[in-house]
Amino acid sequence: MRVLVTGGAGYIGSVVAAQLLEAGHEVSVLDDLSTGHRDAVPAGCRLFEGGIRERGAEVLAETGAEAVLHFAARSVVPESVAHPERYWDGNLGCTLALLEAMRTHGVGRIVFSSTAAVYGEPESSPIPEDAPVRPGNPYGASKAAIDTALTEYARLHGIGAVSLRYFNVAGAYAGLGERHDPETHLIPIVLQVARGLRESVAVYGEDYPTADGSCVRDYIHVADLAEAHLLALDGCRPGEHRVFNLGNGTGFSVREVIDVCRKVTGHPVPAVSAERRPGDPATLVASSESARRELGWTPRRPELHRIVADAWEFHTGRTAADTAAG
Ligand code: UFG
């Protein structure tokens, strides 16, 4: 299939682009390179540099794309709290422009990067897809609004849409890993400490209602997440908007993650208590039963140790076996 990957120079988009190529698809990438990296776009993809509003319609026309996998977005929760307008414009506004471009050019399928952040502080755990959508920060709110738009585009214009609600993505695949600047995500920050690039990691809040007081998240390997996108692409049904949570169903606290990183890296990783970070829910753990049942998805790399080891290998260039051997 001819597919367009928006945000294909970013962390998750580049891994999905790589897997799409491996599966034999013809892959184009549209990315403004504001946070992505040119060298992350897998060889074999055609790269179009620019924004969705500026170039989306033109690129769809030129490539003859039959489907879009839409990753391009802002995705930092604390930034969204400080600058909500960036999220309404950059996430919702750009996606509406993309949907119109798709409609104009008769592109009938979209797989969208949604997020666990749409659920806010959930009532129960693990979270199923029919849990109330009550985002606790503008990032989650912008993604929830896009999900609503997708439902309407499917109902009224007949597109086939799948929203994948990611929990906490980590790890690396085929030399593609997380490279944000500045980095805000827990595992890459802890690994920066292990590499001697930071003195310590701050634990944001230790007074949450969790076993050890730090926040609990469901960490999923980026390669497993990517595999779900290929299944979702096949699972787009005209006139339907399908929604799936993607996680492993197991929660790890910030303190537990740091401990696993210590074991994988062999580094002591000093950790210091810090204030809560605005917008953080206490616990986010997925029920991915629907994705397993309806898409036939099985995460093949669910162990946190493996997820961290692959991230560590990416950051150090060492192999997981070397790491285990010290
Ligand atoms: N944390 C720290 N110290 C740090 C960085 C993070 O204690 O230096 C904590 C956070 O407070 C949070 C947990 O580690 O409790 C995970 O934080 P991340 O920033 O790694 O990830 P988030 O849970 O905030 O968000 C990520 C994605 C979102 C997605 C969400 C879904 O960035 O896009 O997972 O769970 F919506």
Side-chain angles (χ1 to χ4, degrees), residues 172 221 263-266 305-326:
H221 198 294
K263 290 196 180 89
V264 169
T265 64
H305 188 280
R306 163 77 189 272
I307 294 171
V308 170
D310 284 356
W312 181 238
E313 178 186 339
F314 169 74
H315 285 294
T316 59
R318 302 170 76 199
T319 66
D322 290 340
T323 304

mmCIF file of all heavy atoms in Angstrom, residues 172 221 263-266 305-326:
data_model
loop_
_atom_site.group_PDB
_atom_site.id
_atom_site.type_symbol
_atom_site.label_atom_id
_atom_site.label_comp_id
_atom_site.label_asym_id
_atom_site.label_seq_id
_atom_site.Cartn_x
_atom_site.Cartn_y
_atom_site.Cartn_z
ATOM 1 N N ALA A 172 13.909 0.741 21.881
ATOM 2 C CA ALA A 172 14.427 1.160 20.580
ATOM 3 C C ALA A 172 14.302 -0.013 19.619
ATOM 4 O O ALA A 172 14.128 -1.163 20.041
ATOM 5 C CB ALA A 172 15.885 1.585 20.706
ATOM 6 N N HIS A 221 7.091 -1.550 24.725
ATOM 7 C CA HIS A 221 8.225 -1.493 23.795
ATOM 8 C C HIS A 221 7.782 -0.856 22.475
ATOM 9 O O HIS A 221 6.749 -1.230 21.911
ATOM 10 C CB HIS A 221 8.755 -2.902 23.534
ATOM 11 C CG HIS A 221 10.131 -2.913 22.956
ATOM 12 N ND1 HIS A 221 10.424 -2.428 21.703
ATOM 13 C CD2 HIS A 221 11.315 -3.336 23.472
ATOM 14 C CE1 HIS A 221 11.722 -2.563 21.463
ATOM 15 N NE2 HIS A 221 12.291 -3.106 22.529
ATOM 16 N N LYS A 263 19.823 -1.960 37.363
ATOM 17 C CA LYS A 263 20.232 -3.349 37.095
ATOM 18 C C LYS A 263 20.749 -3.486 35.668
ATOM 19 O O LYS A 263 21.766 -4.123 35.419
ATOM 20 C CB LYS A 263 19.053 -4.295 37.304
ATOM 21 C CG LYS A 263 18.665 -4.435 38.767
ATOM 22 C CD LYS A 263 17.765 -5.653 38.979
ATOM 23 C CE LYS A 263 17.384 -5.773 40.450
ATOM 24 N NZ LYS A 263 16.147 -5.033 40.786
ATOM 25 N N VAL A 264 20.040 -2.889 34.709
ATOM 26 C CA VAL A 264 20.426 -3.040 33.305
ATOM 27 C C VAL A 264 21.755 -2.363 33.024
ATOM 28 O O VAL A 264 22.599 -2.898 32.295
ATOM 29 C CB VAL A 264 19.329 -2.471 32.375
ATOM 30 C CG1 VAL A 264 19.818 -2.366 30.935
ATOM 31 C CG2 VAL A 264 18.077 -3.341 32.444
ATOM 32 N N THR A 265 21.960 -1.188 33.618
ATOM 33 C CA THR A 265 23.154 -0.402 33.268
ATOM 34 C C THR A 265 24.331 -0.688 34.189
ATOM 35 O O THR A 265 25.466 -0.341 33.859
ATOM 36 C CB THR A 265 22.862 1.105 33.355
ATOM 37 O OG1 THR A 265 22.566 1.458 34.725
ATOM 38 C CG2 THR A 265 21.684 1.490 32.470
ATOM 39 N N GLY A 266 24.039 -1.238 35.368
ATOM 40 C CA GLY A 266 25.104 -1.442 36.343
ATOM 41 C C GLY A 266 25.589 -0.144 36.969
ATOM 42 O O GLY A 266 26.656 -0.094 37.559
ATOM 43 N N HIS A 305 12.709 -5.036 31.740
ATOM 44 C CA HIS A 305 14.162 -5.197 31.616
ATOM 45 C C HIS A 305 14.588 -5.128 30.149
ATOM 46 O O HIS A 305 15.549 -4.452 29.779
ATOM 47 C CB HIS A 305 14.571 -6.538 32.245
ATOM 48 C CG HIS A 305 16.052 -6.720 32.339
ATOM 49 N ND1 HIS A 305 16.822 -7.114 31.274
ATOM 50 C CD2 HIS A 305 16.908 -6.545 33.360
ATOM 51 C CE1 HIS A 305 18.088 -7.173 31.633
ATOM 52 N NE2 HIS A 305 18.166 -6.833 32.900
ATOM 53 N N ARG A 306 13.838 -5.815 29.294
ATOM 54 C CA ARG A 306 14.146 -5.831 27.846
ATOM 55 C C ARG A 306 13.953 -4.435 27.235
ATOM 56 O O ARG A 306 14.748 -3.982 26.404
ATOM 57 C CB ARG A 306 13.236 -6.864 27.171
ATOM 58 C CG ARG A 306 13.129 -6.727 25.655
ATOM 59 C CD ARG A 306 14.366 -7.276 24.975
ATOM 60 N NE ARG A 306 14.396 -6.969 23.550
ATOM 61 C CZ ARG A 306 13.851 -7.729 22.600
ATOM 62 N NH1 ARG A 306 13.210 -8.839 22.927
ATOM 63 N NH2 ARG A 306 13.955 -7.389 21.331
ATOM 64 N N ILE A 307 12.875 -3.777 27.646
ATOM 65 C CA ILE A 307 12.578 -2.440 27.113
ATOM 66 C C ILE A 307 13.729 -1.489 27.440
ATOM 67 O O ILE A 307 14.246 -0.769 26.580
ATOM 68 C CB ILE A 307 11.229 -1.926 27.692
ATOM 69 C CG1 ILE A 307 10.070 -2.800 27.184
ATOM 70 C CG2 ILE A 307 11.015 -0.456 27.341
ATOM 71 C CD1 ILE A 307 8.726 -2.526 27.861
ATOM 72 N N VAL A 308 14.160 -1.524 28.705
ATOM 73 C CA VAL A 308 15.257 -0.645 29.140
ATOM 74 C C VAL A 308 16.562 -1.052 28.459
ATOM 75 O O VAL A 308 17.346 -0.199 28.020
ATOM 76 C CB VAL A 308 15.395 -0.669 30.682
ATOM 77 C CG1 VAL A 308 16.672 0.047 31.121
ATOM 78 C CG2 VAL A 308 14.168 -0.043 31.344
ATOM 79 N N ALA A 309 16.802 -2.365 28.340
ATOM 80 C CA ALA A 309 18.049 -2.837 27.719
ATOM 81 C C ALA A 309 18.149 -2.365 26.274
ATOM 82 O O ALA A 309 19.218 -1.957 25.809
ATOM 83 C CB ALA A 309 18.137 -4.361 27.801
ATOM 84 N N ASP A 310 17.041 -2.391 25.552
ATOM 85 C CA ASP A 310 17.079 -1.941 24.156
ATOM 86 C C ASP A 310 17.302 -0.432 24.076
ATOM 87 O O ASP A 310 18.008 0.050 23.179
ATOM 88 C CB ASP A 310 15.794 -2.350 23.431
ATOM 89 C CG ASP A 310 15.793 -3.840 23.088
ATOM 90 O OD1 ASP A 310 16.810 -4.517 23.351
ATOM 91 O OD2 ASP A 310 14.781 -4.335 22.561
ATOM 92 N N ALA A 311 16.716 0.316 25.009
ATOM 93 C CA ALA A 311 16.963 1.765 25.041
ATOM 94 C C ALA A 311 18.428 2.032 25.372
ATOM 95 O O ALA A 311 19.078 2.891 24.771
ATOM 96 C CB ALA A 311 16.044 2.428 26.075
ATOM 97 N N TRP A 312 18.952 1.254 26.309
ATOM 98 C CA TRP A 312 20.354 1.425 26.731
ATOM 99 C C TRP A 312 21.295 1.115 25.569
ATOM 100 O O TRP A 312 22.259 1.833 25.318
ATOM 101 C CB TRP A 312 20.610 0.510 27.930
ATOM 102 C CG TRP A 312 21.977 0.551 28.522
ATOM 103 C CD1 TRP A 312 22.831 -0.499 28.663
ATOM 104 C CD2 TRP A 312 22.650 1.684 29.104
ATOM 105 N NE1 TRP A 312 23.986 -0.092 29.280
ATOM 106 C CE2 TRP A 312 23.908 1.239 29.557
ATOM 107 C CE3 TRP A 312 22.306 3.022 29.274
ATOM 108 C CZ2 TRP A 312 24.829 2.097 30.173
ATOM 109 C CZ3 TRP A 312 23.229 3.880 29.881
ATOM 110 C CH2 TRP A 312 24.464 3.412 30.328
ATOM 111 N N GLU A 313 20.994 0.068 24.850
ATOM 112 C CA GLU A 313 21.814 -0.282 23.684
ATOM 113 C C GLU A 313 21.798 0.853 22.665
ATOM 114 O O GLU A 313 22.836 1.227 22.106
ATOM 115 C CB GLU A 313 21.284 -1.559 23.041
ATOM 116 C CG GLU A 313 22.055 -1.948 21.789
ATOM 117 C CD GLU A 313 21.438 -3.147 21.069
ATOM 118 O OE1 GLU A 313 20.696 -3.916 21.701
ATOM 119 O OE2 GLU A 313 21.709 -3.298 19.868
ATOM 120 N N PHE A 314 20.626 1.427 22.448
ATOM 121 C CA PHE A 314 20.530 2.533 21.497
ATOM 122 C C PHE A 314 21.400 3.711 21.962
ATOM 123 O O PHE A 314 22.126 4.308 21.172
ATOM 124 C CB PHE A 314 19.068 2.980 21.360
ATOM 125 C CG PHE A 314 18.911 4.272 20.619
ATOM 126 C CD1 PHE A 314 19.078 4.317 19.235
ATOM 127 C CD2 PHE A 314 18.623 5.449 21.285
ATOM 128 C CE1 PHE A 314 18.955 5.505 18.537
ATOM 129 C CE2 PHE A 314 18.504 6.647 20.596
ATOM 130 C CZ PHE A 314 18.668 6.677 19.225
ATOM 131 N N HIS A 315 21.316 4.015 23.256
ATOM 132 C CA HIS A 315 22.020 5.205 23.745
ATOM 133 C C HIS A 315 23.528 4.998 23.861
ATOM 134 O O HIS A 315 24.297 5.943 23.806
ATOM 135 C CB HIS A 315 21.449 5.642 25.099
ATOM 136 C CG HIS A 315 20.115 6.312 24.959
ATOM 137 N ND1 HIS A 315 19.949 7.526 24.328
ATOM 138 C CD2 HIS A 315 18.877 5.939 25.351
ATOM 139 C CE1 HIS A 315 18.678 7.866 24.343
ATOM 140 N NE2 HIS A 315 18.004 6.924 24.944
ATOM 141 N N THR A 316 23.940 3.795 24.046
ATOM 142 C CA THR A 316 25.376 3.567 24.268
ATOM 143 C C THR A 316 26.050 2.902 23.086
ATOM 144 O O THR A 316 27.280 2.847 23.038
ATOM 145 C CB THR A 316 25.582 2.654 25.490
ATOM 146 O OG1 THR A 316 24.909 1.423 25.221
ATOM 147 C CG2 THR A 316 25.049 3.291 26.757
ATOM 148 N N GLY A 317 25.239 2.360 22.177
ATOM 149 C CA GLY A 317 25.836 1.632 21.063
ATOM 150 C C GLY A 317 26.346 0.267 21.483
ATOM 151 O O GLY A 317 26.909 -0.473 20.690
ATOM 152 N N ARG A 318 26.096 -0.071 22.762
ATOM 153 C CA ARG A 318 26.521 -1.397 23.217
ATOM 154 C C ARG A 318 25.392 -2.378 22.984
ATOM 155 O O ARG A 318 24.237 -2.002 22.915
ATOM 156 C CB ARG A 318 26.836 -1.363 24.719
ATOM 157 C CG ARG A 318 27.901 -0.364 25.080
ATOM 158 C CD ARG A 318 27.971 -0.225 26.575
ATOM 159 N NE ARG A 318 28.639 -1.364 27.184
ATOM 160 C CZ ARG A 318 28.517 -1.667 28.476
ATOM 161 N NH1 ARG A 318 27.752 -0.965 29.258
ATOM 162 N NH2 ARG A 318 29.175 -2.687 28.983
ATOM 163 N N THR A 319 25.692 -3.640 22.910
ATOM 164 C CA THR A 319 24.635 -4.629 22.743
ATOM 165 C C THR A 319 24.071 -5.000 24.109
ATOM 166 O O THR A 319 24.713 -4.807 25.134
ATOM 167 C CB THR A 319 25.165 -5.926 22.098
ATOM 168 O OG1 THR A 319 26.077 -6.517 23.032
ATOM 169 C CG2 THR A 319 25.860 -5.644 20.787
ATOM 170 N N ALA A 320 22.849 -5.530 24.109
ATOM 171 C CA ALA A 320 22.224 -5.948 25.373
ATOM 172 C C ALA A 320 23.098 -7.005 26.055
ATOM 173 O O ALA A 320 23.236 -7.030 27.271
ATOM 174 C CB ALA A 320 20.826 -6.484 25.106
ATOM 175 N N ALA A 321 23.713 -7.870 25.262
ATOM 176 C CA ALA A 321 24.552 -8.926 25.830
ATOM 177 C C ALA A 321 25.771 -8.312 26.531
ATOM 178 O O ALA A 321 26.139 -8.702 27.640
ATOM 179 C CB ALA A 321 25.003 -9.880 24.736
ATOM 180 N N ASP A 322 26.368 -7.291 25.895
ATOM 181 C CA ASP A 322 27.495 -6.601 26.524
ATOM 182 C C ASP A 322 27.078 -6.017 27.857
ATOM 183 O O ASP A 322 27.810 -6.073 28.844
ATOM 184 C CB ASP A 322 27.986 -5.443 25.638
ATOM 185 C CG ASP A 322 28.657 -5.931 24.379
ATOM 186 O OD1 ASP A 322 29.086 -7.103 24.371
ATOM 187 O OD2 ASP A 322 28.725 -5.147 23.416
ATOM 188 N N THR A 323 25.854 -5.418 27.847
ATOM 189 C CA THR A 323 25.358 -4.755 29.045
ATOM 190 C C THR A 323 25.215 -5.757 30.182
ATOM 191 O O THR A 323 25.639 -5.527 31.308
ATOM 192 C CB THR A 323 24.004 -4.085 28.779
ATOM 193 O OG1 THR A 323 24.178 -3.190 27.680
ATOM 194 C CG2 THR A 323 23.515 -3.322 29.981
ATOM 195 N N ALA A 324 24.624 -6.924 29.853
ATOM 196 C CA ALA A 324 24.421 -7.956 30.869
ATOM 197 C C ALA A 324 25.770 -8.426 31.419
ATOM 198 O O ALA A 324 25.914 -8.703 32.607
ATOM 199 C CB ALA A 324 23.639 -9.119 30.272
ATOM 200 N N ALA A 325 26.759 -8.457 30.516
ATOM 201 C CA ALA A 325 28.084 -8.924 30.945
ATOM 202 C C ALA A 325 28.843 -7.842 31.715
ATOM 203 O O ALA A 325 29.893 -8.106 32.249
ATOM 204 C CB ALA A 325 28.886 -9.344 29.709
ATOM 205 N N GLY A 326 28.260 -6.634 31.764
ATOM 206 C CA GLY A 326 28.909 -5.548 32.504
ATOM 207 C C GLY A 326 29.890 -4.830 31.618
ATOM 208 O O GLY A 326 30.747 -4.122 32.087
#
